[in-house]
Structures are given as structure tokens and as C-alpha cells.
Amino acid sequence: MNEEIERDNDLKEYCLDRLHEMCVKAGVDVARLEPNYRDGALVSVTIYRYFQPCNQTINVEGDSTITMVKELIIKGHLG
């Protein structure tokens, strides 16, 4: 994996951790946010919930880090 993809993944994983912490503190129904990879790059995130029976996977392939967070909040109904 090249260094640019690795740095991008590290930043996105860090932001996913912070987003999860914010969701927990705000009382949002999120058990965990799991990154999914293809060819070494983060391409989607699966949202696991405590009280809803189905998980939701959101495509973030090619998104910048801040766009990824925005998409997760909007499409995942986290706000």
C-alpha cells in the first residue's frame, strides 16, 4: 500500500473514532463504525446499531475525510 493511501486511511480512521465518541456522548444509537477496505483503501463504513436489527453500509470511496464524516452523519441519520 502506498504512503498516501495509508495516511488517508489513518486520518479517516481517527475521524471515525472521534465521530463514534461524539455519537455515544450525544446518545445516538451507534454501537460501532467499522471501516471496510478494498485494495488497501477505505471504501465504505458499516454502522452497527444497538437497537436496530439491520446494519447500514455507506459508500465513502474517493471522499475526502470531512466529506466522509458529513455523508455518515446525513445518510446514517446520526445527527
Side-chain angles (χ1 to χ4, degrees):
M1 177 169 35
N2 76 34
E3 289 181 26
E4 185 177 335
I5 291 173
E6 191 172 332
R7 279 193 309 271
D8 189 53
N9 286 345
D10 289 344
L11 180 58
K12 287 179 178 178
E13 289 169 8
Y14 174 80
C15 288
L16 284 176
D17 290 341
R18 299 298 73 77
L19 178 61
H20 181 257
E21 286 178 12
M22 289 188 306
C23 289
V24 169
K25 289 180 180 181
V28 177
D29 178 26
V30 175
R32 77 176 192 265
L33 300 171
E34 182 175 299
N36 304 304
Y37 300 91
R38 183 175 54 232
D39 298 329
L42 195 153
V43 294
S44 64
V45 176
T46 302
I47 300 171
Y48 293 90
R49 301 180 186 274
Y50 288 110
F51 302 112
Q52 293 181 359
C54 60
N55 305 318
Q56 182 179 14
T57 300
I58 298 174
N59 181 7
V60 296
E61 186 172 12
D63 287 354
S64 68
T65 304
I66 197 72
T67 301
M68 175 195 74
V69 171
K70 180 186 84 167
E71 292 293 313
L72 291 172
I73 291 170
I74 294 170
K75 292 180 180 178
H77 305 285
L78 303 179

